[in-house]
Amino acid sequence: MRRGPFKRRNGVELDLDDIQATVLRRRPEPYYGTHALVEILDQQQGRQALGLLREQVAAVDTPFESSPAWTAVAITYQGLVALGVPESSLATFPHNFCEGMAARAKQLRDEGPNDPRGWQPPFGSGRVHLAISVYAASEAGWQARVADYQSRLASFPGLRVVYQQDFGAQPGDRNAFGYKDGFTQPVVQGSGEPAHPGDGEPIKAGEFVLGYPSETGVPLPQPQPDALGRNGTYVVFRKYQSHVAAFNEYLHRNASTAAARELLAAKLVGRWRSGAPLALAPAHDDPDLGADDNRNNDFRYGNDQQCLVTPRGAHIRRMNPRDTQMSILANVNIRRIIRRSTTYGTPLPADAVRDDGQERGLDFIALGVRAIDNVEFLQSEWVSSGNFMGLGKERDPMLGIQERNPYFTVPGTPPRRVKGIQSFNTLRGGEYLFMPSLTALDWLANLPDTV
Ligand code: HEM
């Protein structure tokens, strides 16, 4: 693992025994896991099942017996309704969460190939109520955890698993395009998490966990009652299908040697596939740097305002501009998200330019009290427009829905416009969820009957 499981340390101010592990714990490396989506057809059984599942949900400080494996549970707005959460409480959740991701397509700029009308069922159908995720460091740990939730659900005919997807990355922990990922994460103040060089100043816990002071000095609005809201957070889940052969083909069309293709691939993302940042390794990949947590995030862009090393439009520079001078000012600290994304599907052989018809990609998972607002902001402004960086209509090279005659600018003398860029990732579905604390899971499991 890159960073070990959390332990209570001096300076810990958060209820680590109540906050779900996934909020503050990184994926293991390598990792195995499953996401299951469940529909609740029977309210009482839904609560009983939640009570049973809750026994398996890990808190941040849950000790592991051998290798780490843990279960997380999150709930959609429709799930809260299906569980019979009182109207007075439902009314205290933010409106974008209540509307759900599909209804927010306009704000997310989910159009064309990403339009919810083309999503894979059951996403966006209102039938996704619970999400159960298992994260594990070993195959055995993963299978045991999956068998466990399956046996807990088996006795409830009033619950239906409507989707199940295995994920994982081994060996090398690479995503579908062959990039190592999961590097930059905000440091949560009071969590006891060790900061590594370049991680930046710790950010107030209330930005990521409900019930604590945020960057504004006071806690952000919290669902009521306190037992339901405190120590919870929001989750954005977006399933992307990656078009790896199209990506490789784009590299081949625009670069004639393997070295030039790798450089272009690094310019698109801002990191080489090993994870080494261009900012620290401008000319060649440096796998030792990529593997070194004390160095691989220790950079800013202040000495590269011309963007000659890391293009202005590179995915990581758009998503976290650090100290880049921007045309439209933004408080970068409140735009930070915790990412727990997971890779699925068998990798396509490196450099293959023909698709094999297999589905592979990335489940983008963001957590935080402002996660929904932030992903809506990132999608509409920093992914789908270039204005904040003086890039006009240019869009994010990994995520943007590319329009007619799209290109990606590699600054230099002269700058190069690399044409023929495509939408390399298509959105296949997504949901907004609430990840309750363990106390809140108990509260939900013990709600009085409303029907
Ligand atoms: C298929 C979809 C995506 C792919 C293949 C992808 C790929 C990557 C890669 C390779 C990195 C660099 C390594 C790392 O730190 O993890 C990265 C970083 C990042 N990505 Fe994505 N990403 C995807 C979707 C998204 C989405 C939807 C968002 C937000 C709306 C996002 C936001 C970020 C952020 C904030 C970083 C860290 C930037 C930094 O702090 O330096 N990504 N992504």
Side-chain angles (χ1 to χ4, degrees):
M1 287 182 73
R2 298 182 72 228
R3 297 172 196 191
F6 281 76
K7 295 198 177 71
R8 280 200 179 278
R9 296 184 183 86
N10 290 341
V12 171
E13 294 154 16
L14 310 182
D15 300 332
L16 300 186
D17 53 354
D18 199 35
I19 301 167
Q20 288 201 41
T22 304
V23 182
L24 295 177
R25 187 181 291 153
R26 288 174 181 241
R27 279 177 345 212
E29 183 186 320
Y31 64 100
Y32 302 77
T34 298
H35 298 299
L37 303 179
V38 179
E39 180 180 13
I40 300 170
L41 304 165
D42 179 286
Q43 186 178 95
Q44 251 182 356
Q45 289 187 34
R47 293 181 196 153
Q48 286 166 4
L50 198 61
L52 267 191
L53 288 169
R54 181 252 181 265
E55 293 169 9
Q56 278 303 305
V57 173
V60 180
D61 70 354
T62 303
F64 299 112
E65 276 168 18
S66 51
S67 80
W70 68 91
T71 306
V73 169
I75 309 176
T76 61
Y77 176 77
Q78 295 300 337
L80 296 175
V81 173
L83 287 165
V85 171
E87 196 50 50
S88 56
S89 180
L90 291 173
T92 60
F93 280 85
H95 72 285
N96 44 12
F97 166 75
C98 301
E99 285 180 32
M101 187 181 288
R104 301 287 295 172
K106 195 161 159 242
Q107 290 77 4
L108 288 157
R109 304 281 288 268
D110 288 341
E111 53 207 29
N114 289 2
D115 190 313
R117 283 172 291 189
W119 285 0
Q120 228 172 40
F123 290 107
S125 65
R127 290 190 296 123
V128 176
H129 295 156
L130 301 181
I132 304 170
S133 295
V134 167
Y135 290 80
S138 72
E139 198 164 355
W142 162 48
Q143 285 174 356
R145 285 268 155 177
V146 170
D148 184 278
Y149 83 67
Q150 285 176 337
S151 74
R152 282 169 201 264
L153 290 179
S155 47
F156 297 104
L159 271 77
R160 195 160 54 194
V161 176
V162 286
Y163 176 88
Q164 187 159 307
Q165 182 200 50
D166 296 338
F167 60 78
Q170 336 78 41
D173 203 23
R174 304 293 175 110
N175 73 15
F177 295 99
Y179 292 85
K180 196 164 156 47
D181 63 7
F183 289 97
T184 321
Q185 305 285 359
V187 181
V188 182
Q189 203 174 84
S191 67
E193 183 182 13
H196 285 63
D199 283 353
E201 286 299 307
I203 296 178
K204 291 271 191 335
E207 293 291 323
F208 304 104
V209 187
L210 288 157
Y212 300 90
S214 69
E215 287 286 305
T216 64
V218 292
L220 294 167
Q222 176 192 300
Q224 295 301 319
D226 199 57
L228 175 62
R230 187 177 166 80
N231 289 326
T233 195
Y234 295 97
V235 183
V236 174
F237 182 99
R238 286 168 76 78
K239 176 182 176 178
Y240 285 95
Q241 182 175 356
S242 299
H243 308 297
V244 181
F247 182 78
N248 289 345
E249 209 260 324
Y250 170 78
L251 298 180
H252 273 269
R253 212 165 345 108
N254 290 293
S256 52
T257 64
R261 286 194 283 280
E262 285 311 292
L263 181 60
L264 177 55
K267 293 280 184 188
L268 292 167
V269 167
R271 287 188 188 265
W272 299 88
R273 299 202 214 218
S274 73
L278 268 178
L280 299 178
H284 303 283
D285 194 0
D286 180 348
D288 290 340
L289 169 62
D292 185 347
D293 286 347
N294 282 316
R295 293 191 294 142
N296 60 27
N297 202 31
D298 193 9
F299 63 93
R300 290 163 73 80
Y301 299 118
N303 59 358
D304 181 31
Q305 297 294 1
Q306 301 298 315
C307 307
L308 297 174
V309 174
T310 309
R312 207 176 285 282
H315 177 63
I316 68 164
R317 194 159 183 170
R318 277 178 176 260
M319 294 295 94
N320 181 8
R322 302 186 189 215
D323 55 346
T324 302
Q325 284 162 5
M326 292 191 282
S327 331
I328 301 173
L329 288 182
N331 179 350
V332 175
N333 258 8
I334 64 162
R335 295 296 174 204
R336 301 293 305 278
I337 42 177
I338 292 175
R339 288 175 303 133
R340 296 287 180 258
S341 306
T342 52
T343 290
Y344 67 90
T346 349
L348 193 69
D351 227 22
V353 291
R354 284 249 167 87
D355 195 17
D356 61 358
Q358 305 270 337
E359 203 185 286
R360 56 179 61 79
L362 184 115
D363 298 314
F364 170 79
I365 301 172
L367 283 89
V369 174
R370 297 186 208 251
I372 296 176
D373 291 344
N374 279 349
V375 172
E376 289 188 354
F377 170 84
L378 291 175
Q379 279 291 129
S380 61
E381 299 294 329
W382 291 0
V383 166
S384 308
S385 159
N387 289 337
F388 75 107
M389 286 278 204
L391 284 170
K393 285 187 166 175
E394 207 171 307
R395 297 183 171 195
D396 184 291
M398 299 306 283
L399 296 176
I401 299 177
Q402 306 297 345
E403 293 190 323
R404 266 211 214 151
N405 304 322
Y407 55 84
F408 172 75
T409 306
V410 180
T413 32
R416 184 175 168 214
R417 280 191 166 180
V418 191
K419 298 205 171 121
I421 194 159
Q422 301 176 29
S423 307
F424 295 125
N425 291 286
T426 307
L427 187 69
R428 302 309 315 279
E431 298 289 343
Y432 288 155
L433 301 125
F434 175 62
M435 183 169 279
S437 67
L438 301 196
T439 302
L441 287 171
D442 283 335
W443 185 88
L444 289 162
N446 292 297
L447 277 168
D449 289 346
T450 56
V451 284

